[in-house]
Amino acid sequence: MEPRKSDDQPTIADVAELAGVSRAIASRALSSEPRPVSADKRERVLQAAHQLGYKPNLLARSLTTKTVNLVAVVVNHIHDLSDLDLFDLLISEIQSIGKQVIFVRVGSADRIEEFLRNGIAYHVDAALVFSDFADAATVRRMFRNDRVLMLNGMRDADAPAIIPDELSGIAAAVADAAGKGVRTATLVTGRSASPVEQTRIAHYKSEMRRHGIELIAELRGDYSYQSGRALAASSAWRNAEAVFCTSDAMAMGVLDVHRDALSGDARAFRLYGFDDVTLAEYEAYPISSIGYDKTVYIKEILQFLTAPDRFQSGGVLVQVPTYFVPRSSS
Amino acid sequence: MEPRKSDDQPTIADVAELAGVSRAIASRALSSEPRPVSADKRERVLQAAHQLGYKPNLLARSLTTKTVNLVAVVVNHIHDLSDLDLFDLLISEIQSIGKQVIFVRVGSADRIEEFLRNGIAYHVDAALVFSDFADAATVRRMFRNDRVLMLNGMRDADAPAIIPDELSGIAAAVADAAGKGVRTATLVTGRSASPVEQTRIAHYKSEMRRHGIELIAELRGDYSYQSGRALAASSAWRNAEAVFCTSDAMAMGVLDVHRDALSGDARAFRLYGFDDVTLAEYEAYPISSIGYDKTVYIKEILQFLTAPDRFQSGGVLVQVPTYFVPRSSS
DNA sequence: CTGTTAGCGCTTTCAC
DNA sequence: GTGAAAGCGCTAACAG
């Protein structure tokens, strides 16, 4: 055998040679799985590996094992992750089970399939889809992979999904308003084309009906701060006793336009947001909102990554309960 | 040759066979680089590949080419990326040159080296280091890679770095204050242990001196909103004519504590932040700040990824100019 | 221009 | 328990 060129990384063959065993034995001794190797040889191999500073080449390993310990996180834009806390915890947890995260920003969805195919992302073990650029079937095809988890609110007969159960939080928010004597409300919505949004709107309406709150205006925005501002300043605006927004960003826009009217003791209306984004930590936007337990949510995602059996049976839907977070805006 | 099992992905051998050429020819025809192949054979290969729905296995390719088209983005916590716009553009640009992004959250820096070694991240083509958990030498070793770009403000004799040149922006901010008749100032700083922060503070002081502005208090926070609030409410606080904070978050905290005093025409003091975070888009935090051109910054990073020659000569330092962004807080 | 051949580094039969 | 050998899918070197 050729002596190793010193600038090369040692391979498993080098380790085997130094330990005086075959490559197969070295491979087994170094495996994380239990494999039959005698105790003394295992010891010699580990010792040799350590001495050489051997690092396995995971590309080569993946070629035979067909697994790369890589998880794709698919987003439309980074702003899909405006919830930095959620994402921070998610990455941290994924890393703690020994997997790494490859980040796929879909953006225009234009040449994304071609892009994917030209990268390692194509070989991920699983894809966590926050983006709504495509349905589960397309994503599965794009990743050559059945391990697709839909986190974008889209449902699919064959793909598991984790979706916050919004009814509980909405019911609590509307009840909060009713308990404070609210009789009329305005609803500020996002893109109503999305099924998630339609369900959300339906929940608000049915809860209002239950409490005898009259819906006097329904205004359509696009979830953004700017759209909230625009609607609040538009001629269509009417100060109902409560304003329910289907995103916190829109609520922030509404708040900024009507800040003076909302600050005194005799507030013009009660304001409710949705998402419970961390911005509420800033004093200027104390918006009552609807959130969910991120720890639970992420635990479910991890379940999917570690114990797929539970999700295997097709389009399993896991619901994470939401709750109402009262703040001074209401 | 064994007929393909239909549930397997077609390999380049299948393509070659169908096209009636050797694997080498198929490989060349499918290569993105210009390789010698006759026109008709190339055509046949492409046709066959299309017909079979052939997708190259990049793990296998990487094994010989020693390149994975993967870039690691190393952060401490996700909050290092509080600037979502910057990150969004960065990912987008990296993807546009055909590379994918693997995300490494260092967190505690505890077992990070072991973690890395067990994943594909260990094989990245380059690492962009936003985290300050380790020096360049350590990062190079951790990634088995010399292509390390320091974006955390740390300097190293051997590693290239891109660092905003903060003097220009600070000079403009202080000049703005001086031009408005400011004669006294308070400086709210972050962790002064960091060399970046020390330089920043020195710049503020020298510029104040130049304009004859007296520094009447220097308060130490930790960059966070909460620390800004705490300092602004503390007994050490003094309302100088201007308050310079070395982060926007701290400025937001200061603003919230003194909002009433700052809102009228006769403002208690002029407030300056640093970073130009996107929060300034919200009306409640119209903080004059210091920013830099993200497009330029990212262009430099891309240069590093695409034309490394320019950076090859060791510890090259690229400076990106900063500028002052006036808003109503000053 | 083309095909043969030899690997890349690792894991896994399959006999012993 | 062990090792020889085959092979994962691809590209590169080398003759033609």
Side-chain angles (χ1 to χ4, degrees):
Chain A
M1 183 186 221
E2 195 76 9
R4 291 201 312 104
K5 278 163 257 111
S6 59
D7 63 334
D8 274 4
Q9 296 273 324
T11 74
I12 201 169
D14 299 316
V15 174
E17 192 190 26
L18 179 59
V21 299
S22 71
R23 277 156 60 211
I25 290 294
S27 173
R28 287 176 198 132
L30 261 13
S31 169
S32 59
E33 305 290 295
R35 294 268 184 280
V37 195
S38 68
D40 69 319
K41 296 205 172 173
R42 155 167 291 124
E43 195 43 53
R44 266 154 55 202
V45 168
L46 294 180
Q47 154 65 21
H50 180 72
Q51 180 177 333
L52 257 30
Y54 167 74
K55 320 280 165 50
N57 181 327
L58 294 134
L59 260 20
R61 173 180 295 171
S62 301
L63 200 53
T64 52
T65 61
K66 308 291 191 199
T67 171
V68 283
N69 273 353
L70 212 49
V71 175
V73 169
V74 184
V75 301
N76 239 314
H77 301 284
I78 301 297
H79 279 291
D80 294 4
L81 301 170
S82 55
D83 197 337
L84 291 181
D85 288 338
L86 174 71
F87 193 53
D88 196 53
L89 189 55
L90 177 62
I91 302 265
S92 172
E93 293 289 312
I94 291 178
Q95 289 190 173
S96 78
I97 60 171
K99 293 183 186 297
Q100 299 182 332
V101 172
I102 200 164
F103 209 89
V104 179
R105 178 189 179 279
V106 172
S108 67
D110 235 12
R111 303 178 309 116
I112 186 67
E113 193 150 357
E114 177 198 339
F115 165 73
L116 272 179
R117 207 174 285 151
N118 287 318
I120 297 292
Y122 187 57
H123 299 273
V124 293
D125 301 327
L128 307 180
V129 184
F130 291 89
S131 159
D132 62 353
F133 79 107
D135 58 26
T138 304
V139 176
R140 269 197 297 273
R141 183 166 45 77
M142 286 174 49
F143 282 101
R144 181 226 52 173
N145 199 311
D146 287 348
R147 309 288 315 286
V148 167
L149 182 60
M150 301 299 268
L151 298 164
N152 53 10
M154 294 172 87
R155 293 292 297 121
D156 181 294
D158 297 317
I162 300 178
I163 300 181
D165 168 25
E166 305 190 340
L167 181 53
S168 49
I170 291 173
V174 176
D176 175 84
K180 289 168 176 165
V182 164
R183 309 304 297 269
T184 60
T186 291
L187 188 57
V188 179
T189 72
R191 295 171 303 173
S192 65
S194 125
V196 182
E197 182 69 1
Q198 282 172 6
T199 308
R200 196 176 289 178
I201 292 171
H203 286 335
Y204 274 108
K205 289 184 176 170
S206 68
E207 289 305 311
M208 286 181 201
R209 223 173 292 124
R210 172 204 306 279
H211 289 284
I213 295 178
E214 184 195 359
L215 180 63
I216 62 172
E218 183 174 347
L219 306 174
R220 182 178 309 170
D222 63 4
Y223 294 128
S224 73
Y225 173 78
Q226 290 304 340
S227 76
R229 290 196 66 114
L231 291 173
S234 76
S235 60
W237 183 260
R238 290 186 56 191
N239 275 7
E241 291 171 48
V243 174
F244 294 99
C245 301
T246 62
S247 82
D248 280 345
M250 291 194 294
M252 290 166 66
V254 170
L255 175 54
D256 273 342
V257 170
H258 296 283
R259 188 173 289 278
D260 292 342
L262 287 169
S263 61
D265 275 346
R267 53 155 63 83
F269 55 87
R270 296 176 191 279
L271 179 63
Y272 298 84
F274 199 106
D275 282 345
D276 196 28
V277 299
T278 47
L279 282 166
E281 103 181 53
Y282 302 122
E283 185 177 291
Y285 297 104
I287 297 174
S288 295
S289 193
I290 291 165
Y292 56 88
D293 188 330
K294 281 142 194 168
T295 314
V296 173
Y297 184 72
I298 286 175
K299 189 177 295 172
E300 294 290 348
I301 296 179
L302 267 283
Q303 283 274 332
F304 171 77
L305 295 178
T306 54
D309 349 350
R310 194 180 141 214
F311 288 85
Q312 214 111 47
S313 51
V316 178
L317 170 63
V318 174
Q319 301 243 78
V320 176
T322 59
Y323 50 78
F324 174 60
V325 185
R327 293 202 182 81
S328 62
S329 78
S330 71
Chain B
M1 181 185 223
E2 196 74 10
R4 291 201 314 101
K5 277 162 258 115
S6 59
D7 63 334
D8 275 3
Q9 295 274 324
T11 73
I12 202 168
D14 299 317
V15 174
E17 192 191 23
L18 179 59
V21 300
S22 72
R23 277 157 55 211
I25 289 293
S27 172
R28 286 177 200 132
L30 261 15
S31 169
S32 59
E33 306 289 295
R35 295 267 184 278
V37 196
S38 68
D40 69 319
K41 298 207 169 171
R42 154 168 289 124
E43 196 43 54
R44 268 156 50 205
V45 169
L46 294 180
Q47 154 65 21
H50 180 73
Q51 181 178 332
L52 257 29
Y54 167 74
K55 318 281 165 50
N57 181 328
L58 293 133
L59 259 18
R61 174 180 294 171
S62 301
L63 202 52
T64 52
T65 60
K66 309 290 192 200
T67 170
V68 283
N69 273 353
L70 211 51
V71 176
V73 170
V74 184
V75 302
N76 240 314
H77 301 283
I78 301 297
H79 280 289
D80 295 3
L81 299 170
S82 55
D83 196 337
L84 291 180
D85 288 339
L86 174 71
F87 194 52
D88 197 52
L89 189 56
L90 177 63
I91 302 266
S92 173
E93 292 289 311
I94 291 178
Q95 288 191 174
S96 78
I97 59 171
K99 294 185 186 295
Q100 298 182 333
V101 172
I102 199 163
F103 207 89
V104 180
R105 178 189 180 280
V106 172
S108 67
D110 235 11
R111 302 179 309 117
I112 185 67
E113 192 149 357
E114 178 199 338
F115 163 73
L116 272 179
R117 205 173 287 149
N118 288 318
I120 298 293
Y122 188 55
H123 298 273
V124 293
D125 300 328
L128 307 179
V129 184
F130 290 89
S131 158
D132 61 355
F133 79 107
D135 56 29
T138 304
V139 176
R140 270 197 296 272
R141 182 166 46 76
M142 285 174 49
F143 282 101
R144 182 224 52 172
N145 200 311
D146 287 347
R147 310 287 316 285
V148 166
L149 182 60
M150 300 299 268
L151 298 163
N152 52 10
M154 294 172 87
R155 292 292 296 121
D156 182 294
D158 297 317
I162 301 178
I163 301 181
D165 168 24
E166 305 189 339
L167 182 53
S168 48
I170 291 173
V174 176
D176 175 83
K180 288 168 177 165
V182 165
R183 310 305 298 269
T184 60
T186 291
L187 187 57
V188 179
T189 72
R191 295 172 304 170
S192 65
S194 126
V196 181
E197 182 69 2
Q198 282 172 7
T199 308
R200 197 176 288 176
I201 292 170
H203 286 335
Y204 274 108
K205 289 184 176 170
S206 68
E207 288 304 311
M208 286 183 200
R209 225 174 291 123
R210 172 204 307 281
H211 289 285
I213 294 178
E214 184 194 359
L215 180 64
I216 62 171
E218 183 174 346
L219 306 175
R220 181 177 310 169
D222 63 5
Y223 294 128
S224 74
Y225 173 78
Q226 290 304 341
S227 75
R229 291 195 65 114
L231 291 173
S234 77
S235 60
W237 183 261
R238 291 184 57 191
N239 276 9
E241 291 171 49
V243 174
F244 294 99
C245 302
T246 62
S247 83
D248 280 345
M250 290 193 294
M252 290 167 66
V254 170
L255 175 54
D256 273 341
V257 170
H258 296 283
R259 187 172 291 278
D260 292 340
L262 287 170
S263 60
D265 274 346
R267 55 156 62 83
F269 55 87
R270 296 177 189 280
L271 179 63
Y272 298 84
F274 198 105
D275 282 344
D276 197 28
V277 299
T278 46
L279 282 166
E281 105 182 50
Y282 303 121
E283 185 179 291
Y285 297 104
I287 296 174
S288 296
S289 192
I290 291 165
Y292 56 89
D293 188 331
K294 280 141 194 170
T295 315
V296 173
Y297 183 72
I298 286 175
K299 188 177 295 169
E300 294 289 349
I301 296 179
L302 268 282
Q303 283 275 333
F304 171 76
L305 294 177
T306 54
D309 351 349
R310 196 180 139 214
F311 286 86
Q312 213 111 47
S313 52
V316 178
L317 171 62
V318 174
Q319 302 243 79
V320 176
T322 59
Y323 50 77
F324 175 59
V325 185
R327 294 203 181 81
S328 63
S329 78
S330 71

